[in-house]
Amino acid sequence: MAGKPKLHYTKGRGKMESIRWLLAAAGVEFEEEFIETKEDLERLRNDGVLLFQQVPMVEIDGMRMVQTRAILSYIAAKYNLYGKDLKERAWIDMYVEGTTDLMGMIMYLPFQPADTKEKNLALIIERATTRYFPVYEKALKDHGQDYLVGNKLSWADVHLLEAILMVEECKPDVLSAFPLLQAFKGRISNIPTIKKFLQPGSQRKPPTDEKFVAVVRKIFNI
């Protein structure tokens, strides 16, 4: 029997967090090997295990996978979270790309200069409430189903819940104008595997703080 997937990344969210979410939602236990110093990263690079000299890297099914999107697609397909046909997969991809764009804005916020943070935070809320969330609200309204695609849990649902919770960390009442997304959040949060991941003590990582920003800058020379 194959061992648990092993995740190589820092002790924070970053690009690995969506991978943790998707594995957890699929009910897959995983191990983590943290990169805590510049030397840890150099060791991986020198060992030749990072295809493009970058992390995230996930050891799974005898592969050392890099590139976040490739890793997520593989996990989604392997655990039946990627739709039943090409059209459903295309919709899942589109929805995921939207939430990826939104979460990317939030992910980089703590690394921005203090004088631009307030402006960028306002932009995140504006984009969430006028560009991204209305799309998902409309999708749920139009088909009247519990999930975004094919009335079955998919990667798109897991990613959207992660995005919602990240935006709520910036503005707790951000879903006030989106009743269907509020109900969606409640439903998806209560799926047993996801509920477990949302409990204290899980492998979910906390929001990025200044202390962690300093660690990341040191490791990656930024």
Side-chain angles (χ1 to χ4, degrees):
M1 186 178 156
K4 296 176 186 174
K6 186 185 274 191
L7 282 48
H8 296 262
Y9 202 65
T10 59
K11 264 187 179 168
R13 287 184 181 176
K15 292 188 172 186
M16 187 65 92
E17 191 70 357
S18 291
I19 296 167
R20 295 182 186 112
W21 264 90
L22 197 56
L23 285 168
V28 179
E29 290 185 10
F30 57 88
E31 297 171 353
E32 299 192 79
E33 195 158 301
F34 294 116
I35 296 165
E36 299 185 72
T37 64
K38 199 173 165 180
E39 290 71 33
D40 290 342
L41 180 60
E42 282 308 311
R43 202 173 301 116
L44 282 175
R45 285 174 173 164
N46 293 336
D47 286 347
V49 298
L50 302 178
L51 193 61
F52 300 111
Q53 307 290 306
Q54 294 165 239
V55 288
M57 190 267 277
V58 175
E59 295 183 61
I60 184 170
D61 295 342
M63 294 185 289
R64 290 186 174 119
M65 291 197 74
V66 296
Q67 297 292 4
T68 313
R69 171 81 204 195
I71 297 165
L72 286 163
S73 300
Y74 182 82
I75 293 165
K78 180 178 169 75
Y79 295 105
N80 202 22
L81 294 167
Y82 212 174
K84 70 176 188 300
D85 55 31
L86 272 176
K87 280 192 176 176
E88 285 195 359
R89 187 167 289 200
W91 277 106
I92 289 166
D93 283 340
M94 286 192 280
Y95 288 144
V96 163
E97 289 299 329
T99 36
T100 298
D101 290 347
L102 179 57
M103 288 195 283
M105 294 173 74
I106 299 170
M107 200 185 299
Y108 293 115
L109 190 66
F111 295 88
Q112 292 165 355
D115 58 346
T116 64
K117 271 186 190 171
E118 205 170 312
K119 190 178 89 174
N120 287 321
L121 180 59
L123 179 63
I124 288 165
I125 302 306
E126 190 260 329
R127 289 272 168 87
T129 53
T130 64
R131 180 179 293 189
Y132 295 108
F133 288 169
V135 169
Y136 303 106
E137 182 82 4
K138 184 177 186 298
L140 292 166
K141 184 182 179 187
D142 286 354
H143 61 44
Q145 296 173 340
D146 287 349
Y147 304 101
L148 286 171
V149 180
N151 207 23
K152 178 178 183 292
L153 181 70
S154 76
W155 173 19
D157 301 304
V158 179
H159 220 244
L160 176 55
L161 177 61
E162 183 188 1
I164 287 170
L165 297 181
M166 282 177 77
V167 181
E168 284 185 335
E169 287 169 353
C170 301
K171 190 177 191 292
D173 65 348
V174 74
L175 288 186
S176 57
F178 303 101
L180 297 180
L181 282 182
Q182 289 175 41
F184 171 89
K185 175 191 158 189
R187 278 196 307 277
I188 307 300
S189 296
N190 275 303
I191 290 168
T193 52
I194 294 174
K195 191 173 184 178
K196 186 180 173 188
F197 188 63
L198 291 171
Q199 300 302 311
S202 80
Q203 286 164 295
R204 187 181 179 214
K205 301 298 178 269
T208 300
D209 59 16
E210 283 180 23
K211 190 179 168 189
F212 184 67
V213 167
V215 170
V216 169
R217 287 192 190 282
K218 216 169 184 178
I219 294 171
F220 295 101
N221 263 345
I222 52 175

